[in-house]
Amino acid sequence: MKERLKELILEHAFRYSETPSFKLVHGGMSQFYFDCKRVTLDPEGQFLIGNLVFNEIRDIEIQAIGGLTLGADPIACAAAHTSWIERRPVQAFVVRKEPKGHGTRNPIEGKLAAGDRVVVVDDVVTTGGSTLKAIAACREAGLEVVKVVVLVDRQEMNGREAILKEAPLLTALVTRNEIMDLYHRRK
């Protein structure tokens, strides 16, 4: 499954340029870019991601999985769907970028309660900013973050290290180096 996921990422989400042409969220420029929603919103991608993420969390006692919208949403939902099929249901949740200004004004949506153990997910990690924002929101809601699972680790800007200062475990399904190796083998 992982090999097929790497193929999908290379084919649909990965972009490369000999010169830094892609502006990233943190403002820097890069030679490569991952538009992972082209994979996380794809039916085959969701199947693969759901199974791979569930395999990373299946032996951890947790109640829910989620992260900052929008990158985390399809990953969390795919993993929750797979958890139901595997008869080990885990709830999905969404961390809003800003609390909504009406209704309950919840910063986190989903069936959660203070004290729940959760896994935070994200599509791409560079600096770790989105993941760290999700971790902070979870903690403010009284949730215990026990692990982080990311689709792609860009392996730069110390994102992994920053996350590991705030979460005990971090797993990347795919790394930039793996995609670059596949890219160069295909050229």
Side-chain angles (χ1 to χ4, degrees):
M1 280 192 194
K2 180 177 175 176
E3 293 307 310
R4 178 62 183 149
L5 179 60
K6 290 191 310 190
E7 294 279 344
L8 287 179
I9 290 170
L10 179 64
E11 183 178 341
H12 300 291
F14 180 71
R15 301 290 176 264
Y16 180 76
S17 171
E18 290 296 325
T19 60
S21 303
F22 304 102
K23 187 170 184 174
L24 304 178
V25 172
H26 62 77
M29 299 297 287
S30 178
Q31 289 180 275
F32 53 92
Y33 184 73
F34 290 94
D35 183 3
C36 287
K37 285 149 197 81
R38 295 177 53 85
V39 175
T40 63
L41 295 170
D42 173 78
E44 182 183 8
Q46 288 184 351
F47 171 78
L48 296 170
I49 291 164
N51 279 279
L52 290 166
V53 171
F54 182 74
N55 284 337
E56 291 295 331
I57 66 170
R58 76 177 328 126
D59 296 327
I60 303 172
E61 182 64 36
I62 61 167
Q63 287 71 48
I65 185 167
L68 192 66
T69 198
L70 174 72
D73 300 348
I75 297 169
C77 290
H81 178 81
T82 301
S83 78
W84 177 259
I85 292 169
E86 295 289 328
R87 295 187 171 98
R88 300 187 67 187
V90 173
Q91 295 291 320
F93 68 90
V94 174
V95 176
R96 293 177 176 276
K97 290 184 180 176
E98 299 291 330
K100 64 182 182 177
H102 61 282
T104 59
R105 297 187 171 109
N106 290 333
I108 299 178
E109 298 293 344
K111 290 178 8 184
L112 297 165
D116 282 354
R117 293 168 47 93
V118 302
V119 169
V120 169
V121 293
D122 208 343
D123 59 351
V124 180
V125 168
T126 304
T127 65
S130 295
T131 307
L132 293 170
K133 186 172 181 177
I135 291 169
C138 288
R139 287 201 177 124
E140 287 175 27
L143 306 173
E144 180 185 354
V145 177
V146 297
K147 184 173 185 169
V148 172
V149 179
V150 299
L151 178 57
V152 176
D153 181 352
R154 289 178 52 96
Q155 298 175 293
E156 63 181 6
M157 306 293 297
N158 297 318
R160 173 183 268 295
E161 293 79 9
I163 292 167
L164 285 171
K165 287 180 182 176
E166 298 298 325
L169 300 167
L170 181 136
T171 299
L173 297 182
V174 177
T175 65
R176 176 200 66 204
N177 287 348
E178 289 174 308
I179 297 301
M180 288 301 294
D181 288 345
L182 188 57
Y183 174 81
H184 288 301
R185 285 197 310 261
R186 295 291 163 82
K187 275 184 88 171

